[in-house]
C-alpha cells in the first residue's frame, strides 16, 4: 500500500475521536504546484490513539483496490478487494487470534462460489456454495 503520510498527498481530518486524535482522514492528490486537488485517493478511519480501524484506496469517489479493517490491537480483521465501490474478488475475515474466520469471493458485490467458515482453531465448520444459493433465489422470484 501507498504510504499516505507522504508529502505527495494532502491530508484532511474530517472528524476526531473523544481523545482528540483523528477519527476520519481523507487523502487527496496534489497538483503540480503542491496544492490539494478535489481528487480523493484514500480514506482512513481510526480508533482513539491513532490506531487504524479501516484503510483503503479511492478511485472516482468509490472504494477501489484492497481495503483492510483492523481489530483494536492492530491485527487484521478483514481484507476485501473492491472495484467501483463493490466487493470484487477475494474476501477474508479473521478471528481476533489471527486465524481465518471465513473466506470467499465476490463478483461486483454479489457472493459467488464456495465460502468456507472456520472456528478459532481454524478447523472447518461449514461451507456454503453461493452459486447454488443465488440460483435458488433467482428461481424463487
Amino acid at each position: 500500500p501507498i504510504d499516505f503520510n507522504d508529502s505527495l498527498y494532502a491530508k484532511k481530518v474530517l472528524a476526531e475521536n473523544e481523545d482528540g486524535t483523528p477519527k476520519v482522514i481523507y487523502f487527496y492528490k496534489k497538483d503540480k504546484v503542491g496544492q490539494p486537488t478535489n481528487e480523493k485517493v484514500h480514506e482512513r478511519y481510526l480508533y482513539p490513539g491513532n490506531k487504524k480501524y479501516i484503510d483503503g484506496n479511492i478511485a472516482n469517489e468509490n472504494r477501489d483496490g484492497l481495503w483492510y479493517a483492523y481489530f483494536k490491537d492492530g491485527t487484521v480483521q478483514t481484507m476485501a478487494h473492491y472495484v467501483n465501490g463493490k466487493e470484487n474478488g477475494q474476501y477474508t475475515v479473521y478471528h481476533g487470534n489471527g486465524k481465518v474466520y471465513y473466506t470467499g469471493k465476490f463478483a461486483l458485490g454479489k457472493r459467488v462460489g464456495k465460502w468456507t467458515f472456520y472456528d478459532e482453531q481454524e478447523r472447518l465448520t461449514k461451507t456454503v456454495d453461493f452459486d447454488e444459493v443465488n440460483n435458488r433465489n433467482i428461481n424463487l422470484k
Side-chain angles (χ1 to χ4, degrees):
I2 296 170
D3 179 6
F4 281 93
N5 295 322
D6 190 296
S7 62
L8 297 175
Y9 302 95
K11 177 171 102 171
K12 182 176 181 182
V13 176
L14 277 81
E16 292 184 351
N17 288 300
E18 290 178 10
D19 67 355
T21 59
K23 183 175 186 176
V24 179
I25 303 173
Y26 289 174
F27 294 85
Y28 296 86
K29 279 189 175 180
K30 290 183 179 179
D31 63 19
K32 292 177 183 176
V33 294
Q35 295 301 308
T37 67
N38 290 327
E39 186 178 350
K40 183 171 43 165
V41 294
H42 195 82
E43 289 182 11
R44 181 171 294 153
Y45 300 84
L46 300 146
Y47 291 112
N50 280 324
K51 295 181 181 179
K52 286 183 191 177
Y53 173 48
I54 298 173
D55 196 45
N57 293 333
I58 298 291
N60 300 315
E61 296 295 317
N62 292 304
R63 288 183 177 193
D64 196 72
L66 189 57
W67 274 69
Y68 291 93
Y70 300 88
F71 289 108
K72 284 187 177 183
D73 69 2
T75 59
V76 175
Q77 187 261 343
T78 304
M79 284 187 353
H81 292 266
Y82 285 82
V83 172
N84 294 321
K86 294 183 179 183
E87 295 99 339
N88 192 66
Q90 192 65 38
Y91 190 91
T92 306
V93 176
Y94 297 88
H95 288 285
N97 66 4
K99 303 281 187 179
V100 173
Y101 178 24
Y102 61 91
T103 188
K105 290 188 178 180
F106 276 92
L108 295 176
K110 187 176 185 180
R111 290 179 187 192
V112 295
K114 288 190 179 181
W115 283 58
T116 52
F117 297 79
Y118 303 90
D119 66 15
E120 290 187 353
Q121 284 70 47
E122 214 165 29
R123 293 181 298 235
L124 182 66
T125 59
K126 72 177 175 177
T127 61
V128 176
D129 188 331
F130 278 94
D131 291 338
E132 290 177 8
V133 170
N134 294 333
N135 287 335
R136 271 199 308 265
N137 289 342
I138 290 168
N139 292 334
L140 293 174
K141 291 183 181 181

